[in-house]
């Protein structure tokens, strides 16, 4: 499932918008991403053509199964990488901007390795705290 970075950004934005509102339209994407109306219009046409979104007669956008899968993958990557960089001491704005770039170029293997490392670290940290509190 190879998509362009811009398509991934649009799909992720639609997912995020759909979590905070009942319906999403192209103008919401324009406002969220700060792109021009014509750019968003072309992107929505391409996403419809590729089967990642459905747009009804009223202009309401719905992610298809493939679109949702890509959007959720990008969102998970973005959140995990942002949080990880912030934990490492990177200021929030830089971490979020860097995560937005990294989420698109990182292989699935590298992302899974980072995700596993963080999960292992959290588990080990939790176990150490539990061990100390039981003494």
């Amino acid at each position: 499932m190879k998509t362009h970075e811009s398509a991934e950004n649009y799909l992720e934005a639609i997912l995020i918008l759909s979590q905070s509102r009942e319906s999403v339209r192209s103008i919401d994407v324009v406002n969220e991403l700060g792109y021009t109306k014509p750019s968003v219009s072309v992107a929505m046409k391409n996403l419809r053509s590729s089967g990642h979104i459905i747009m009804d007669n009223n202009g309401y956008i719905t992610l298809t199964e493939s679109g949702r899968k890509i959007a959720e993958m990008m969102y998970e990557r973005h959140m995990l990488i942002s949080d990880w960089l912030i934990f490492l001491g990177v200021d929030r704005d830089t971490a979020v901007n860097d995560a937005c770039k990294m989420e698109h170029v990182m292989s699935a293997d590298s992302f899974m390795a980072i995700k596993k490392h963080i999960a292992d670290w959290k588990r080990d940290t939790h176990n150490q705290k539990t061990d100390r509190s039981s003494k």
Side-chain angles (χ1 to χ4, degrees):
M1 167 179 33
K2 182 66 180 149
T3 55
H4 293 286
E5 180 178 333
S6 62
E8 293 170 348
N9 282 334
Y10 281 110
L11 293 168
E12 184 180 7
I14 293 166
L15 175 70
I16 291 167
L17 288 165
S18 69
Q19 292 172 345
S20 64
R21 56 185 71 210
E22 198 171 307
S23 57
V24 178
R25 297 178 72 163
S26 292
I27 192 65
D28 302 318
V29 177
V30 167
N31 293 331
E32 177 73 14
L33 297 176
Y35 298 158
T36 65
K37 289 179 186 180
S39 294
V40 172
S41 179
V42 168
M44 294 304 109
K45 179 182 177 195
N46 291 338
L47 291 172
R48 279 194 315 272
S49 295
S50 63
H52 295 313
I53 66 167
I54 298 169
M55 190 177 290
D56 69 15
N57 293 336
N58 296 315
Y60 296 114
I61 302 166
T62 304
L63 293 168
T64 63
E65 185 178 335
S66 67
R68 179 166 295 283
K69 186 175 180 179
I70 294 166
E72 287 174 348
M73 178 180 65
M74 289 298 106
Y75 186 67
E76 177 188 25
R77 285 177 171 219
H78 184 88
M79 296 305 297
L80 186 114
I81 295 168
S82 294
D83 290 347
W84 181 50
L85 292 172
I86 291 166
F87 172 79
L88 293 174
V90 177
D91 73 88
R92 182 169 194 70
D93 288 342
T94 302
V96 168
N97 287 330
D98 287 349
C100 194
K101 297 170 193 162
M102 294 167 67
E103 71 192 42
H104 300 286
V105 297
M106 183 178 290
S107 71
D109 289 343
S110 293
F111 178 73
M112 291 308 293
I114 292 169
K115 186 175 176 179
K116 182 184 179 314
H117 174 77
I118 292 169
D120 291 348
W121 177 83
K122 285 181 177 179
R123 185 194 65 245
D124 292 347
T125 301
H126 175 74
N127 289 342
Q128 288 173 358
K129 288 180 182 177
T130 305
D131 289 347
R132 278 186 254 153
S133 66
S134 64
K135 291 182 181 181

